[in-house]
Every structure is written in structure tokens, then in C-alpha cells.
């Protein structure tokens, strides 16, 4: 049923849960598993980052996100085909754009991330559900962990 699954990972505490769900689905369907992350300038940016130009900062943030996603991919017990995608921009838009570009059949995303503005204006997951051209699975923590 699925041939290409896109896991949207934001580095939040739920990243591992989202990755495991996406990997299990990809393995069960023989699908490729792409990992993606949208990056933007974080609110609590370290002081040393202010010495970088806007372009240098963007490049550094993308580089760090790539390293993190490579590490997460390496932590999977089953190695699956797929690519890593990191882009600067608003998370929901980046996720939908990447899903469209790679012709993903399914996006797997966590129910809440780190972005404070998302909590005020509506979650990234809700925007992805409303705008994605493919199906979206929103992963929630186990009931006992949600309390």
C-alpha cells in the first residue's frame, strides 16, 4: 500500500516515537523511508551564533539537522532505503513541499513539537493534515505518557 513514507522529525522528545512508527510501517510495506526536518532560527539561539551572517547561520542549522537525521537513521535496527531532507522554512510548508517532491504516500508526524508559535497559532501537524497531498499519520504518545 505504501511505497514511500516521509517521517517529519523535529528533534522534540517525541522524535524517537515518530521514527519508530514510521520505520515499522516502512518495513511492513517494503517502503522507502525518507526523513525530513524543517529548520529555522531558534528562539534560544546561542550567543556565538549571532556572529554568523544570515546565510552562514542557515547553512549551519541545515548542517546540524542533517547530522542529527543521519544519526537517527543509523539508530534504526532495520536499514531502509530512503533519503534525508532538510530545508529552511516554516515546518508545515517544508514538510508538505518535501512530501510532494518525493511523491510520498504517507507522512508520519508527531502531535506536538517544540515551536511555541505553533502552540498559539495551531500545530504543525494540523496544518500538514489540512494541506498535504497524501495521507498523514499523527503519532501521539502512549496514554500513560500523555498524562
Amino acid at each position: 500500500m505504501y511505497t514511500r513514507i516521509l517521517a517529519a522529525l523535529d528533534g522534540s522528545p517525541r522524535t524517537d516515537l515518530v521514527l519508530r512508527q514510521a520505520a515499522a510501517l516502512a518495513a511492513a510495506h517494503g517502503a522507502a523511508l525518507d526523513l525530513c526536518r524543517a529548520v529555522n532560527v531558534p528562539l534560544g539561539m546561542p550567543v556565538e551564533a549571532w556572529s554568523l551572517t544570515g546565510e552562514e547561520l542557515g547553512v549551519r542549522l541545515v548542517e546540524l539537522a542533517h547530522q542529527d537525521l543521519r544519526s537517527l537513521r543509523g539508530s534504526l535496527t532495520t536499514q531502509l532505503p530512503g533519503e534525508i531532507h532538510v530545508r529552511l522554512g516554516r515546518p508545515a510548508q517544508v514538510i508538505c513541499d518535501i512530501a510532494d517532491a518525493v511523491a510520498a504516500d504517507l507522512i508520519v508526524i508527531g502531535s506536538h513539537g517544540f515551536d511555541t508559535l505553533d502552540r498559539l497559532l495551531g500545530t504543525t501537524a494540523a496544518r500538514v493534515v489540512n494541506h498535504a497531498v497524501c495521507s498523514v499519520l499523527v503519532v501521539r504518545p502512549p496514554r500513560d505518557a500523555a498524562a
Side-chain angles (χ1 to χ4, degrees):
M1 179 172 183
Y2 300 119
T3 59
R4 185 165 220 114
I5 296 173
L6 180 67
L9 307 172
D10 64 359
S12 71
R14 295 187 183 161
T15 291
D16 189 53
L17 180 62
V18 172
L19 179 60
R20 285 194 322 259
Q21 291 268 344
L25 282 168
H29 290 273
L33 177 61
D34 288 5
L35 309 183
C36 81
R37 178 166 299 157
V39 294
N40 47 31
V41 178
L43 295 176
M45 191 170 59
V47 175
E48 63 272 6
W50 290 107
S51 66
L52 301 172
T53 67
E55 188 175 313
E56 290 170 333
L57 178 58
V59 168
R60 184 68 180 136
L61 291 171
V62 167
E63 185 180 280
L64 291 170
H66 262 284
Q67 288 173 5
D68 187 44
L69 292 179
R70 277 193 301 271
S71 175
L72 287 168
R73 180 175 284 288
S75 73
L76 294 173
T77 56
T78 303
Q79 294 306 306
L80 301 162
E83 301 172 20
I84 291 175
H85 309 273
V86 179
R87 292 189 191 160
L88 286 168
R90 294 194 59 199
Q93 186 65 53
V94 167
I95 293 164
C96 290
D97 288 349
I98 292 171
D100 191 32
V102 302
D105 304 304
L106 177 69
I107 298 169
V108 181
I109 188 169
S111 58
H112 292 289
F114 278 144
D115 195 335
T116 305
L117 287 177
D118 276 352
R119 292 181 188 273
L120 296 172
L121 304 174
T123 68
T124 296
R127 276 186 256 155
V128 170
V129 167
N130 288 324
H131 297 285
V133 296
C134 63
S135 296
V136 179
L137 171 64
V138 179
V139 176
R140 295 188 177 280
R143 287 181 189 257
D144 58 340

